[in-house]
Amino acid sequence: MNEQRPPLPPFTTETAIQKVRSAEDGWNSRNAEKVSLAYTLDSVWRNRGEFLQGRAAIVAFLTRKWNRELDYRLIKEIWAFTDDRIAVRFAYEWRDDSDNWFRSYGNENWEFDASGLMRRRIASINDMPIAETDRRYHWPLGRRPGDHPGLSDLDF
């Protein structure tokens, strides 16, 4: 199987930024099956205190996540990159089934194979309760509009 997920390493500033936006768009789709295709079949994750390996585990994890984190909207921003690694920071807003709102902040370290599939994802995340009136992400569910402010613009 010769899957490719452009842009491919080695990354340039432009292609690393494209890779980050592509990941953001995928996660904002909240389609676990589609998102899992960006990862190698044996991809290894650490998400908070949870350790996963493989696409089936990724699909199960994301399905659980988006069943719990309702009205999920995410912004990612590149922090640094090398040939086959990208570091990002992110913030997302969501509510639980009791209509309590949260903003979750974090950092991720990504490592890619030569085909552009992510083989390792290490995420550290903190949740902060917010009032609904403090929400900053109001676009319709799905892809963040191109003219919506990014993390730096929002001073996050």
Side-chain angles (χ1 to χ4, degrees):
M1 185 161 49
N2 190 19
E3 299 172 88
Q4 284 205 332
R5 193 70 162 207
L8 309 178
F11 297 114
T12 64
T13 300
E14 179 181 317
T15 61
I17 289 169
Q18 288 172 356
K19 198 68 150 176
V20 172
R21 182 58 193 242
S22 178
E24 175 188 314
D25 292 347
W27 281 61
N28 276 327
S29 77
R30 297 175 331 278
N31 180 329
E33 290 285 341
K34 177 183 169 188
V35 170
S36 75
L37 298 177
Y39 301 90
T40 62
L41 291 172
D42 61 351
S43 185
V44 175
W45 282 27
R46 180 182 58 76
N47 193 88
R48 301 177 193 248
E50 194 166 349
F51 295 81
L52 314 170
Q53 183 167 4
R55 283 189 184 159
I58 291 168
V59 170
F61 170 84
L62 293 173
T63 300
R64 266 191 339 269
K65 172 185 181 61
W66 291 322
N67 283 335
R68 185 176 71 83
E69 296 178 355
L70 308 173
D71 292 321
Y72 176 95
R73 290 171 179 85
L74 164 73
I75 299 176
K76 291 184 181 280
E77 184 174 280
I78 192 166
W79 188 254
F81 73 94
T82 63
D83 291 340
D84 65 348
R85 294 180 177 175
I86 299 175
V88 299
R89 63 190 200 95
F90 62 87
Y92 61 92
E93 293 180 349
W94 58 281
R95 66 174 177 85
D96 64 18
D97 60 2
S98 297
D99 284 332
N100 298 303
W101 282 93
F102 299 86
R103 186 174 301 119
S104 299
Y105 298 94
N107 299 291
E108 293 176 321
N109 296 310
W110 302 340
E111 183 180 56
F112 296 87
D113 70 6
S115 298
L117 296 172
M118 195 181 302
R119 64 177 156 218
R120 182 175 310 273
R121 174 183 173 268
I122 301 168
S124 299
I125 307 167
N126 298 297
D127 302 319
M128 182 177 80
I130 60 171
E132 184 172 3
T133 55
D134 291 334
R135 291 179 53 220
R136 304 290 295 275
Y137 302 174
H138 296 283
W139 67 84
L141 289 177
R143 186 178 198 275
R144 175 174 54 104
D147 62 350
H148 190 282
L151 293 181
S152 292
D153 300 321
L154 293 168
D155 202 26
F156 286 167

